Amino acid sequence: PFPPYHTAVRGVDGKHHNNSNNNNNNNEMSQQAMNGVPQRGKLLTLDNMNPKVKRVEYAVRGPIVQRAVQIEKELREGVKKPFTEVIKANIGDAHAMGQKPITFLRQVLALCSYPELLKDNQFPEDAKKRAQRILEACGGHSIGAYSASQGIECIRHDVAHFIEKRDGGIPSNPDNIYLSTGASDAIVTILKLLVSGEGRDRTGVMISIPQYPLYSAALAELDAVQISYYLDEDKCWSLDVKELRRALYAARQHCNPRVLCIINPGNPTGQVQSRQCIEDVIRFAKEENLFLMADEVYQDNVYAEGCQFHSFKKVLFEMGPEYSSKVEMASFHSTSKCYMGECGFRGGYMEVINMDPEVKAQLTKLVSVRLCPPVPGQALLDLVVNPPQPDEPSYATFMKERTAVLAALAEKAKLTEQIFNTVPGITCNPVQGAMYTFPRISLPQKAIDKAKEEGQVPDMFYCMKLLEEEGICLVPGSGFGQREGTFHFRMTILPPTEKLKLVLKKIKDFHLRFTKEFS
Amino acid sequence: MKKPYKEIIDLSWGDLQRAGVKPLSFVRQVICDSFPFIFFVEEQHMQVLAFSSELTPHSFSDVCLQNCIRKSFVSSGSYTATAGIPEIVHRVAEFITRQDGGIPSHPENIYISAGSQRALTNIVTILMNRKASPRTGILTPVPCYNIATLSMMAQGATVVPYYLNQEHSWELQIEELHRALESAQRVCNPVALYVINPGNPTGHVQSRKSMQEVIHFVSERSLFLLADEIDVYQDCFNGEKTEFVLMEMGPPLSDTVELASFHSASKGFMGECGLRDGYVELVNLDHTVMKYIYVLFSKDSSAPVLGQFALDLMANPPQPGDPSYPLYNVEMQNIRTTVADNAKRAVEVVNNMLGFCCQPVEGGAFAFPQLHLPPKAIEKAEEMGMKPDTYYCTRLYEESGVLVRPGSEYGQKEGTYHIRYIFQLTGLSCPFHINEHICNKLNCTVTSFHFTPFIFLFSRFCIATSADIMEELLKRLSIFHTQFMEDFS
């Protein structure tokens, strides 16, 4: 059990420490002192809790966001600030920034939630048909019943069908589809399956720098070895197999590399990998016996001229049986991004390719531990993979809305790149896809020193100041990983165009001020 | 494929809606009302307009949901704050406070998650030390809801069983906890005690005295307390919550015992399992540890919004005077009446079946009959390489299309076969007791209860279903059972 208060605590490093709870928790001390209760150290403390958790960070919801929430509270309480609202450009939440939900999706969800509405003539027939089909597949004909752990069967079939259509007819087996609570759930599940071994044999997982911090957080929690490979900022964040090789060979010294994660289109960088690059990655994975994890949640978010989304599976199969029968892979998709932006529903799936059947049986068992993914999210996913067809009544509106959303994002992507590149000290790569910009900022040495004085990483120092002075919440690049000595921030391109222009101007002004202040 | 039945009756889940209970209209109407853009109307920035349909009375006006919309809620499609929409978290805290007779519950100690299992996984993560030697251990009851133990094992914890006392309605006994802890200390480093109240699958309701003993136990032995209490506040059950009992015991225990208490809107008559709506309340945890718990939950982004609404409505159902109250009340009454009628019917029918004995259902959504299996059946099961309860369930399913889950998943005490051997059939929680009265009712001598190789099957099935389905179930069960008992007499 946890050691009683009065003995010295053996810390996780094996050394004895005096029970130091009270030093860290002044609040707690004074509270207990106020109560007049004899002080007793906590059972579960920083010293004896899971040591891996101390390394877990998730910058997208990290300290800067917590400060932003606090500031919002202060604003509501009437505290005077140089701004009237906090703009949360830290998280890829489209609806929160004003993007409208797609009418068709919400109609079907309403029908599924309250089937009485099937009698209402305001709803189009194609919406009703889909709702009925989904409800029929649910236990008790209700989205409130648990579903099978792997997800509702007919929805998995629809997903498989969607993948086949998307990938030019390459077959997809519904049994290889696992619905999940957002893509994050599936990503973590696969990592759990893949991470094993001890010491030098511990699983190593390759992930890009910069990366979406779910990966680094999951790897820390699972105590896997993170193998970082650097994307090339000078070449628009492209991936070079030489760099993969370098990282891999170095890692082999101290761990057992087994997995290669790639996010395409990229987060936070937005780069859309070329077909050639994808082929190279697949070839590399085969040569080096790596399990490929292809995070493709932004697959509809492609804006730049000459860029196109190529699914890893499609490329794999087009490379012929030598690859398509050997390379083991999982690809991930979600309802949170693209044109839907339905983050709150927590819908997603993964497709596993060439997985050993016995391992797959274990995967199926593993997902049962969380019972089932939220059924509304499954329903929503069904609509994403089975949208209105040209001959259906909702088609015109659906396409109009979808096109408008994606066009707006494309416009904002360009705008962002343009404006940031006019600021001396900010360099911004083209936002080829996804929902973010990850510009590089040059910070004066004095600022870097000041940051260190305050015990903050320089780009966090910068972002915090921006938040306090302008009410704009971004995430410092250190939260995603970056080359030593470089600094970045991630900003979403989601605010409505007029607001975005304002935000860009404010950041520009701030940056000039900041540079001047610390020159 | 020809079968003697047309469709499967699946009462194996703790899932009322799957069993045929309709969701409460109010809950679903509110959910719909959260979809403002159904018919594309002029929208002011983030102002939500309920769409107009005769079929949904304007439920916005009587629901505090409006507060959500004004303050922090943006869209059902948005992420929310990590712990949940703040207004909902506050209202859940208020709900708990009310239920606990005024003992305050703090919103900052509450995390809403996609089902209570997810929250349990995160808390177990904090407790785990994978590299520690000896390994981290958690004391868990036997029998036990196997999802929880599987999840702990998946994280590398050593699951240390403590056996609930079958002779006393599956009561938790302190001596057994002591024994389990002693045995645990030889093989692992036990850091936590996991209790389920009411028991799953046993249905046993812990007495206040027992809960106090448990609290003393964890305090003395420096264990973290994990309390799975997902049935505690349900309409069908009157029980007490660990935190309530803890706070009543006063300092120093109330200030020092560290507790995580898990709840859900999946149970009770609301039964919105598919929306994935659970929460954990953390009591007396270290502030720094709480910061890390926040990080763990933040990785999951946030709980599904519709599930958060369901929780909110569980905590704040329509009150008399609210426009939605009449329909809500009617629907709740219907469910209660159907369940009560089903219960009576089930008990009646089951008690007339050879070898079956069923206590009157005092409350709740499940019946808990007990069954003697003849020795020939046990032999046959062994021949087939199956556990007796699996054998019974498999045949029941194949021949009658009635699906219940064999309870050997829930664990049983390694007992000597010739004394007594107990299995459970399904994994649904039940709010009342099985005790020696049953043995008397069975007209079997006490000696045979103890010494003959009979198998007791405690079976449980959901009686919160439509009257038709219940009739059908009972019919099929009767026919199957009569034949089965004849075959093995």
Side-chain angles (χ1 to χ4, degrees), chain A residues 206-217:
Chain A
M206 300 184 71
I207 181 66
S208 57
I209 295 294
Q211 46 99 43
Y212 172 52
L214 168 71
Y215 289 90
S216 48

Side-chain angles (χ1 to χ4, degrees), chain A residues 206-322:
Chain A
M206 300 184 71
I207 181 66
S208 57
I209 295 294
Q211 46 99 43
Y212 172 52
L214 168 71
Y215 289 90
S216 48
L219 296 178
E221 192 186 319
L222 292 171
D223 196 23
V225 178
Q226 180 175 331
I227 304 170
S228 303
Y229 62 86
Y230 290 85
L231 301 176
D232 193 341
E233 184 160 16
D234 298 329
K235 295 210 177 96
C236 202
W237 297 114
S238 63
L239 192 163
D240 189 343
V241 176
K242 283 207 270 309
E243 167 59 15
L244 288 181
R245 200 160 279 130
R246 176 212 62 79
L248 179 69
Y249 289 2
R252 283 215 168 105
Q253 309 297 315
H254 58 92
C255 72
N256 178 18
R258 299 174 76 201
V259 190
L260 169 55
C261 298
I262 178 160
I263 310 173
N264 181 47
N267 178 1
T269 53
Q271 91 282 8
V272 177
Q273 301 297 353
S274 69
R275 201 216 152 83
Q276 182 60 52
C277 176
I278 295 176
E279 274 189 31
D280 292 343
V281 169
I282 291 173
R283 204 163 284 121
F284 176 77
K286 177 163 181 290
E287 281 163 8
E288 306 289 352
N289 266 324
L290 299 169
F291 187 99
L292 253 182
M293 287 176 65
D295 181 342
E296 300 176 325
V297 304
Y298 296 100
Q299 56 191 260
D300 291 339
N301 301 109
V302 175
Y303 318 121
E305 285 282 329
C307 285
Q308 198 191 331
F309 171 71
H310 302 279
S311 90
F312 263 81
K313 182 178 176 211
K314 179 160 192 265
V315 176
L316 174 68
F317 276 74
E318 286 174 353
M319 287 168 74
E322 189 200 340

